[in-house]
Amino acid sequence: MKLFSYSILGLWLLAVLAGYLFNLDPNAIDLNVILHGPSFKHWFGADDLGRDILARILSGVEKSLLVAVTVTVITMAVGVLVGTLAGFYGGRIDSVLMQITDVFLAFPGILLAIAFAAVLGPGLANLILALCLTGWVSYARLTRGQTLSLCNRQHVQAAESLGAGVPRLLFRHILPLMTSILVVEATYSLASVMIAEASLSFLGLGIQAPNASWGAMLRDGVRFMLVAPHYVLIVGACLMSLILAINLGGDYLRDKLDVKREIE
């Protein structure tokens, strides 16, 4: 599992670097190869405008990873802040913050993202904002539960009795103990955000033409399934391989960082 995950991720990294080195143009149009299958000139074939599918896949994975990393970092920061404050202070602060969280949890995340993207309008910046507005709740719930558990630990109570302030308690005694759990959660979040980005782009609410996006490529390829099945199959296989590799990497990290598993 570890070898497969690292191999796929390494191949994608090399592919992106190769795209930079060979200066592939994802928007170059060649009307003579419209919907042609894989060949020596176009390894993954060409789309309905004669553009090289490989070049567009490499351009699309860059944007997909940019969105995934940006959204994961922002949602983790917001969710950890909300969950930590709710778990540490409790009382009315906890009640208000968790009620807001419950409102977001009451709706499927992808539906909320579609609603926000439809209101904000299409585009890369609005896509990131829409995904950030819905992605922080899982971190908030997870962090709150961990904070409630850690606040009752003896070392935290001892530090508090010795006069440690709130910043020291949070950043020296509580948050460091959540690092492994948050890393694993962030790994799964990367895959989820990439799927959400592809879904919104498929619906026309994400990255707009002529910029390449895997979701938009799947939407365009569906129209030519009977005459050019390679278009959808190649893009779908690329998306599946990357998501699978990230999820397997998350499973490996979960097992590696699980202290209870090591003790057993």
Side-chain angles (χ1 to χ4, degrees):
M1 180 175 64
K2 172 185 176 182
L3 179 61
F4 176 82
S5 175
Y6 286 174
S7 298
I8 297 298
L9 293 176
L11 287 175
W12 276 112
L13 178 60
L14 291 176
V16 172
L17 293 177
Y20 277 114
L21 292 177
F22 291 101
N23 195 24
L24 299 177
D25 185 3
N27 297 319
I29 296 176
D30 185 357
L31 300 180
N32 295 319
V33 295
I34 290 178
L35 296 178
H36 279 202
S39 62
F40 287 105
K41 184 177 180 181
H42 302 283
W43 288 7
F44 286 178
D47 64 4
D48 55 313
L49 293 177
R51 297 171 296 188
D52 187 67
I53 293 178
L54 175 59
R56 293 188 64 77
I57 285 177
L58 296 181
S59 177
V61 73
E62 295 174 19
K63 295 180 178 62
S64 183
L65 290 174
L66 172 64
V67 172
V69 172
T70 303
V71 171
T72 300
V73 171
I74 295 175
T75 53
M76 179 186 290
V78 175
V80 169
L81 176 63
V82 172
T84 304
L85 292 178
F88 186 81
Y89 287 105
R92 181 168 297 180
I93 294 178
D94 182 23
S95 177
V96 172
L97 292 178
M98 286 303 101
Q99 285 179 7
I100 296 175
T101 304
D102 290 339
V103 171
F104 281 88
L105 287 174
F107 301 93
I110 187 62
L111 291 182
L112 277 180
I114 291 174
F116 284 129
V119 172
L120 296 173
L124 181 60
N126 290 339
L127 172 65
I128 293 176
L129 180 58
L131 294 175
C132 288
L133 289 173
T134 61
W136 60 272
V137 290
S138 60
Y139 290 103
R141 275 295 184 184
L142 176 64
T143 308
R144 175 183 177 270
Q146 292 296 316
T147 303
L148 289 173
S149 175
L150 294 174
C151 283
N152 294 323
R153 297 282 184 90
Q154 293 182 352
H155 71 279
V156 176
Q157 295 177 350
E160 186 176 8
S161 65
L162 291 175
V166 173
R168 184 178 181 85
L169 289 174
L170 293 179
F171 292 103
R172 293 292 299 274
H173 299 282
I174 295 179
L175 288 177
L177 297 179
M178 302 184 197
T179 303
S180 60
I181 297 176
L182 292 176
V183 169
V184 175
E185 180 68 17
T187 304
Y188 291 122
S189 178
L190 283 173
S192 300
V193 172
M194 292 184 69
I195 294 176
E197 182 272 325
S199 301
L200 292 176
S201 296
F202 183 88
L203 297 173
L205 298 174
I207 299 172
Q208 299 297 297
N211 295 319
S213 169
W214 285 2
M217 293 174 68
L218 288 173
R219 180 191 62 208
D220 295 337
V222 167
R223 297 179 296 171
F224 307 101
M225 275 289 293
L226 298 180
V227 296
H230 68 278
Y231 192 179
V232 171
L233 293 178
I234 290 176
V235 177
C238 291
L239 179 60
M240 182 197 70
S241 66
L242 184 54
I243 298 299
L244 179 61
I246 294 175
N247 283 331
L248 290 177
D251 290 338
Y252 172 75
L253 287 176
R254 181 193 60 194
D255 296 337
K256 191 70 174 178
L257 298 175
D258 190 354
V259 178
K260 295 180 180 179
R261 186 183 181 93
E262 293 181 358
I263 293 176
E264 295 175 356

